[in-house]
Amino acid sequence: MALLDVDRSIVVVIDFQGKLMEMIERPALVKAAAVRLIRIADLFKVPVVLTEQYAKGLGGTHPEIRAAFDAAATERRYLDKTSFGCCGDPAFERLLREVRPGLPPEERQVVVAGIEAHVCVMQTVLELLATGHEVHLCWEAVSGRGAEYRKHALERMAQAGAALTNHESVAFEWARHKDHPAFKALSNLLKEGQLA
């Protein structure tokens, strides 16, 4: 598994919606990590794709996560899906192509945050891996209803070939060097306080 490359990366933020956000394991940590990941992607001009699972029925994305997405100046796309895995919706691949034109699946690095770990996140990750994508899972920005569901889903995705990482590792891999033009802003963002 290669280090993340800012020119090959796409952040995918999956289904942080409605009342499910109140029921997941460690909701404050997960929300804060997802917001920070989106803000870091914006600093490094990495595209972000945000999905919602049947928004009409489950409600919209958590307001803080949606606000971070809406405020980002980087390339952004939104998908309202009914398939559990993102790849089950043909529009998802089209959006990935739009934000990384000319980059085939086997050259894309997809950084994933989302809920629920054992359903929509896992189906998405396994399908991305099957189509040749490199997948990096931000463990602190992935959750579900219960510690064991989350734990075993992360284990299964890692066994399938996904790399377990976190938002800070992602950020430092994108920067690679303290002289990166975005590093000072990144450093200030990371000093804003510990995650819950």
Side-chain angles (χ1 to χ4, degrees):
M1 186 72 65
L3 289 173
L4 285 163
D5 180 340
V6 76
D7 295 320
R8 296 171 52 204
S9 296
I10 304 167
V11 171
V12 176
V13 178
I14 302 170
D15 305 352
F16 285 111
Q17 291 169 255
K19 292 182 181 175
L20 278 177
M21 283 297 294
E22 300 163 18
M23 299 188 290
I24 63 171
E25 183 76 11
R26 299 177 75 182
L29 170 67
V30 172
K31 175 187 55 98
V35 166
R36 211 180 249 190
L37 179 63
I38 293 168
R39 291 178 64 197
I40 291 167
D42 193 34
L43 280 179
F44 288 92
K45 298 178 177 53
V46 170
V48 179
V49 176
L50 182 141
T51 74
E52 291 179 341
Q53 173 67 29
Y54 184 54
K56 182 179 174 184
L58 294 178
T61 298
H62 186 283
E64 290 179 48
I65 296 171
R66 185 65 198 228
F69 175 75
D70 289 342
T74 192
E75 193 84 18
R76 295 176 289 128
R77 295 292 186 279
Y78 166 79
L79 176 65
D80 183 6
K81 62 186 178 63
T82 54
S83 59
F84 298 120
C86 295
C87 300
D89 189 316
F92 183 64
E93 172 59 25
R94 178 177 51 78
L95 297 181
L96 297 181
R97 283 197 311 266
E98 283 178 11
V99 298
R100 286 293 182 206
L103 205 60
E106 60 275 8
E107 291 183 28
R108 296 181 195 142
Q109 295 176 316
V110 183
V111 178
V112 174
I115 65 172
E116 285 195 76
H118 64 295
V119 185
C120 297
V121 174
M122 187 163 65
Q123 289 187 30
T124 300
V125 167
L126 295 178
E127 290 173 326
L128 284 169
L129 290 167
T131 54
H133 294 82
E134 192 176 293
V135 180
H136 298 251
L137 273 169
C138 287
W139 66 264
E140 81 283 38
V142 172
S143 195
R145 290 166 295 154
E148 290 187 351
Y149 283 116
R150 177 182 175 277
K151 174 183 182 291
H152 294 300
L154 288 172
E155 287 172 353
R156 182 175 172 192
M157 291 183 280
Q159 287 169 355
L164 293 182
T165 190
N166 60 76
H167 74 280
E168 286 196 15
S169 292
V170 168
F172 282 93
E173 287 176 40
W174 284 339
R176 298 286 173 90
H177 197 282
K178 73 169 190 64
D179 294 330
H180 189 287
F183 185 74
K184 185 170 184 178
L186 170 65
S187 182
N188 289 336
L189 191 160
L190 296 178
K191 288 175 187 170
E192 287 180 6
Q194 294 297 315
L195 300 185

